[in-house]
Every structure is written in C-alpha cells, then in structure tokens.
Amino acid sequence: MLLSNVVTSAIRHFEASSTTSIVPNPLTLLDPVPSDIAIASAQKPKLISQVASELNLSHAEFEPYGKYTAKVTLDVLERLESNSNGHYVVVTGISPTPLGEGKSTVTIGLTQAIYAHLNRPAFACVRQPSQGPTFGIKGGAAGGGYSQVTPMTSMNLHLTGDIHAITAANNLVAAAVDARYFHESTQTDSQLFNRLCPKKKGARKFANVMLNRLQKLGISITNPDDMSAEEVSRFVRLDIDQDKIMWRRVTDTNDRFLREITIGEASTERGMARKTGFDISVASEIMAVLALTTSLSDMRERLGRMVVALSKQGEPITCDDIGITGALTVLMKDAINPTLMQTLEGSPVFVHAGPFANIAHGNSSIVADRIALKLVGAPAGEPVTAENAGYVVTEAGFGADIGFEKFVNIKCRASGLVPDVAVIVATIRALKMHGGGPDVVPGKPLADEYTQENLELLRKGFANLRRHIENVNKVGIQAIVAINAFSSDTEAELELVRQLACEAGAYDAVPTHLWAKGGAGAVELAKS
C-alpha cells in the first residue's frame, strides 16, 4: 500500500511538472490609447516567481533579477527532454517603412490572444533591444500600446546585463589582439615562450587551448621542453598583419565619433598606432554566437573559432590561437541563459540575444525557443495536438527577405526546429509606400496618400507582400498575413489586401488591432 501511494504521488508530481498554468493579467483598455509608458506603468505585473511557478520551474531552474525578471537555466532542457515540442510560430514582416510595421507588437499581441483570450499555453520569444536604437529615433522593442513586454523600461535598458557581457567579451578580444601584436613586435621567441609557458615548480605545461594550436600547426609534442627552436618560434608567433586586424571594439551607444579612431598613440606603444573603430555592441560576432549556441560547450567552441585577424602569410587567426576562449566563456556564462519576463496580460516571454538582421541572422536565441517549446509542449509519450500543446511565437527581425530567410537558412538549420506557420506582418501604410507613395520620414507628418483611401497605390504596392508570401511558401511553410490596422485604414483597403493575399497563396489575411486592444485585438488571428 505504501509503495503504491509513493508511485501514485510520483506520477502526479510528474504530470504536474509537465503542464503549465494559465493565469491572465486582465487589461483595462482606455480610449484614446495612452502612451506606452503610461500603459506599462498602470499595469502591475505578476511577480516573476509566480510566472516561474505557473511554468512549473523549480527554484534551481531560475534565478530572479529583481521582482519581475529572471534567468532560466538550460537544465530545464534536460528535465523536459522527453516532452514533445509545442507548436512553433514565426513572425516576420514585409519590407518596412522607416517607422516599422509592428512585428514586435504583433508577436506580443498574438501571444496575449492565445494565452489570455483562447486560454492556451503561449510563450513569446523576442530579442533584447540595443540602447542605440532605444535612445535614437526608432525607440525600444518591447512592443507598443496594449501589446507590450513588461516592465518595458527594464527590457529596453540594461535588463540582466547580457549586452554588457557581450561588450566586455568583445573588447577583451580587441585588447588581447593588440597586446599580442605588441609583445610579438618587442620580444624574442624565448621571452614569448616564457610568458606563454612559464615554469611552475620547475616544469612547463601546455594549457588545453595550446594543444589545439599545436595540432593546428602539425606539432605532436606534448612536453614544452621537447620543442625545437623552430617549433617554439612557430608556436609563439601568430605573426599578425596589423593591416588585417578585423576585430573592432564595441559600445552599446550611437556614438558616431567613434566609428573611426586611431589607437596606440601613447609613447609606451612605441609607434604602433593604427586606425580602427567602434561598432555597436549587438553587431559583435559574439552576439550572433550567443543567438546560435545550443549549450555552454557549444558556445565555447564557437567563440574559439571566431577569426580576429590574418597573419602576414594570409592565415586566419582565431580566439583559440590568441588563447582567450576560456576567459570569453566565463564572461558569457550567465548570458547564455534566457531572461524570463511577461506580457501586459501575463503570458511568459523569453528575451534573449539581439543580433541585427543586416549584419547577422537577426533572430532571438535557439536556446530560448527550445526551452519555451518544451515548457508548453505535450507530456512525454503523448502526440502533439491542438488540445495538449501550447504555442511559441518567435520573431524574425526585419522583413521576410532578411530576417525570415535567415531564420530558415541559418537558425533552423542550427536548431533543427521547423515552424508550423509564418505570420507576415503588413500595414496599409507600407504597401502604399511600395506602390509609389511619398517617402515616409520619421518625425514628419504622413502625406495624405497614407491617411486617405487609395486603392490604386495599395494594389500596386501589394507586389511587395506577394513576393514575401511566395518566399515563405517556397520553403514549405504556410503563410498567414497579419494586417496591423490603423484608424485611418478603410474597410475597402483591408478587404483588398485580404483578397489579394489569399489569391497570392496565403492561408488567410486578418486585420488586427493589437496596439489599441491588446490580445483582444488579435483573437481572430490567433484562431486562424
């Protein structure tokens, strides 16, 4: 009897730990819609410990950063390994105007609709915004109106420090490259060897990363004292070509005067000045590595393979060659864990990584998507159905011609995940611009063509959306168009886009009002 009770209790605990709770945070909608910050300030979030509890995370699987954010460890993947993944939805968009067409707003609002209005488990996965655009014209990336990640100020600023960790790691690489060039230019082979392999208690020993370099050089010696003078020289000298150092420093600020700089001007650098510059932190290759990594060991390998310069012989020089991969991994050990937040209506959100789509793949992290899919997935042994599995809505940056194609060709190939459907965000405004409408300029009022009905411009501009639908269908993924509707859009314009989209191969085209109504404004999209 006692053993039977233990088994029954264990089964109940297992079943409970494999399911999530849905506890919406109701919105009070106002008209006119207040500012984003006013909406965010008026809506009190759930404590992050409550959100974690609703997801059945154990105390060992999340680490709170204040009351409303937390890091979730990769241990969750091991615990839920046998669970099936939930339904996978990717949100992309047409070629945008400079104002943006609301992909983040649709991503958040759609998640709120599934979670708070259809009563199904739902998880949003979005990128962390850079402080550059946040303090520039574009603004933050927490969504907008009544479809936001909250607290928006935390998300748009430091959050849990991932971008700061990337900045520190990136600039450590830059410092190490310049220091290595300096020392090789000023010291003998013997001096360099003594620095790299100093005697400790009368013996020298190679570090593991040095063994990798020796293997790369074709040197099979494992005892440093057995090396010939020629082998020592090859080992200690990377022979960096100063004109072929391609690694730049970064800062997470739009500081145009740092784009091109001269370093090494101090007298102690002995005339080794060179021109270089700063990029924005999210443009660092380390950010792309973070987004594509699948584990801590995988991240270490990817960091070690990063090419930082060329030798005078034209050979690539990597972080492993410099010998700093371990230090980079230590700096990034917490950043690899996705940050748990929530939407205004209480659905969970992972905010993780932030690579730009024009210089990288422009998608949030693989580990965030994987953890979310397991948390809302079907219990072990059960087939995935509409009833027993939830939804993960992940955002692909920029338009479908950049973010989505890189999502498919880079992220999905690295993760092995395949989306069930792609949501293409479009606006009447953007379609009119693509049809030949006047330029849309941030900070300037929209021309009359964008605020009055104009079916001719809309029909011409639909060619842009048609191509995006075709691109999605080409890879075997079903496309649904989410029309992010504005108050100036007419019923005739919305109906024309719906009709043309379905003719072009979209499963459906649904007007949404997520900015003004939150999840309630995307229920029909969620149902489709």
Side-chain angles (χ1 to χ4, degrees):
M1 184 66 180
L2 178 61
L3 181 59
S4 175
N5 290 340
V6 171
V7 171
T8 301
S9 177
I11 292 174
R12 287 174 179 171
H13 175 74
F14 174 78
E15 290 175 347
S17 65
S18 300
T19 58
T20 61
S21 303
I22 300 173
V23 184
N25 193 5
L27 283 171
T28 301
L29 304 178
L30 300 179
D31 187 14
V33 178
S35 66
D36 289 353
I37 187 67
I39 293 172
S41 299
Q43 183 76 345
K44 184 175 178 58
K46 296 182 286 189
L47 294 176
I48 202 64
S49 57
Q50 179 184 339
V51 177
S53 176
E54 292 164 7
L55 293 168
N56 283 308
L57 294 173
S58 71
H59 290 294
E61 292 173 337
F62 73 98
E63 180 181 357
Y65 279 60
K67 294 192 291 185
Y68 304 119
T69 59
K71 282 286 192 178
V72 175
T73 70
L74 306 192
D75 297 337
V76 180
L77 288 172
E78 185 175 347
R79 174 171 65 85
L80 299 178
E81 182 180 8
S82 57
N83 279 23
S84 300
N85 289 334
H87 303 285
Y88 197 28
V89 180
V90 59
V91 176
T92 183
I94 64 172
S95 303
T97 68
L99 301 178
E101 308 319 309
K103 283 194 316 301
S104 298
T105 303
V106 170
T107 300
I108 301 306
L110 175 58
T111 305
Q112 291 179 172
I114 297 171
Y115 179 89
H117 299 271
L118 298 186
N119 201 39
R120 300 296 306 143
F123 222 121
C125 292
V126 296
R127 294 173 296 166
Q128 181 181 351
S130 163
Q131 286 182 181
T134 295
F135 288 109
I137 292 175
K138 181 180 180 295
Y146 286 104
S147 297
Q148 293 186 46
V149 180
T150 185
M152 65 171 293
T153 50
S154 296
M155 178 180 175
N156 285 328
L157 299 176
H158 305 283
L159 199 53
T160 50
D162 292 355
I163 293 180
H164 296 313
I166 289 165
T167 302
N170 184 100
N171 292 344
L172 176 62
V173 175
V177 171
D178 286 320
R180 186 61 176 264
Y181 177 81
F182 173 82
H183 289 304
E184 286 191 22
S185 301
T186 57
Q187 297 185 29
T188 65
D189 291 350
S190 177
Q191 289 173 320
L192 290 171
F193 190 55
N194 287 332
R195 282 178 175 269
L196 291 171
C197 293
K199 284 189 176 182
K200 295 181 179 179
K201 297 182 180 180
R204 301 181 194 271
K205 185 179 180 180
F206 287 125
N208 288 336
V209 70
M210 295 178 180
L211 294 175
N212 294 338
R213 172 157 172 75
L214 289 170
Q215 184 178 14
K216 181 178 177 179
L217 294 172
I219 300 174
S220 58
I221 294 171
T222 57
N223 184 350
D225 292 322
D226 292 341
M227 297 179 74
S228 67
E230 188 268 340
E231 288 170 334
V232 167
S233 182
R234 291 176 58 207
F235 169 67
V236 301
R237 293 199 176 274
L238 299 178
D239 206 18
I240 298 170
D241 185 341
Q242 192 181 34
D243 294 329
K244 298 295 176 61
I245 297 174
M246 55 194 71
W247 196 269
R248 289 159 60 95
R249 288 159 173 81
V250 298
T251 182
D252 197 36
T253 305
N254 286 347
D255 191 342
R256 65 185 309 124
F257 287 93
L258 289 179
R259 292 174 183 172
E260 298 292 338
I261 63 170
T262 302
I263 62 172
E265 293 283 8
S267 59
T268 51
E269 271 60 79
R270 305 180 188 180
M272 295 185 187
R274 70 178 181 91
K275 289 193 173 184
T276 181
F278 275 76
D279 295 319
I280 200 159
S281 294
V282 291
S284 171
E285 186 173 347
I286 297 175
M287 176 61 87
V289 165
L290 175 65
L292 290 175
T293 196
T294 55
S295 65
L296 192 64
S297 59
D298 176 60
M299 183 172 68
R300 192 188 193 287
E301 291 181 11
R302 289 176 181 274
L303 292 171
R305 294 197 300 263
M306 295 188 305
V307 176
V308 298
L310 298 180
S311 70
K312 292 176 182 176
Q313 294 74 40
E315 295 294 323
I317 297 170
T318 66
C319 285
D320 267 352
D321 292 327
I322 298 288
I324 58 169
T325 310
L328 299 181
T329 307
V330 170
L331 284 170
M332 295 292 294
K333 68 180 179 62
D334 294 320
I336 194 174
N337 297 322
T339 298
L340 178 65
M341 298 186 75
Q342 62 191 290
T343 67
L344 289 174
E345 296 193 60
S347 51
V349 179
F350 272 143
V351 182
H352 201 215
F356 285 166
N358 58 336
I359 51 88
H361 63 287
N363 287 267
S364 59
S365 76
I366 287 174
V367 293
D369 286 6
R370 281 185 170 177
I371 294 173
L373 284 165
K374 291 297 183 184
L375 287 171
V376 303
E382 294 186 19
V384 176
T385 66
E387 289 74 31
N388 71 351
Y391 298 79
V392 172
V393 184
T394 191
E395 180 186 2
F398 210 71
D401 53 341
I402 295 184
F404 174 77
E405 291 192 22
K406 290 183 176 182
F407 170 83
V408 171
N409 294 323
I410 299 176
K411 183 177 178 180
C412 288
R413 292 185 184 187
S415 69
L417 300 172
V418 179
D420 298 290
V421 66
V423 176
I424 305 175
V425 180
T427 62
I428 301 298
R429 175 185 66 198
L431 292 173
K432 287 179 177 179
M433 185 190 76
H434 293 309
D439 290 341
V440 175
V441 181
K444 291 186 177 181
L446 291 173
D448 291 343
E449 286 86 347
Y450 299 111
T451 57
Q452 298 174 8
E453 184 174 291
N454 192 319
L455 299 180
E456 181 183 358
L457 271 184
L458 191 58
R459 190 180 294 275
K460 289 180 180 177
F462 181 80
N464 185 275
L465 177 54
R466 178 183 292 109
R467 177 53 60 90
H468 289 304
I469 294 171
E470 292 171 354
N471 288 345
V472 170
N473 288 340
K474 278 180 184 177
V475 295
I477 299 172
Q478 202 166 56
I480 296 177
V481 176
I483 307 171
N484 189 15
F486 291 80
S487 58
S488 59
D489 301 339
T490 68
E491 287 300 322
E493 289 175 329
L494 295 171
E495 176 56 28
L496 178 60
V497 173
R498 192 202 66 77
Q499 175 189 334
L500 293 175
C502 291
E503 291 175 358
Y507 176 78
D508 202 355
V510 185
T512 62
H513 300 85
L514 311 105
W515 180 79
K517 298 181 180 180
V523 170
E524 292 306 313
L525 175 64
K527 288 179 178 179
S528 65

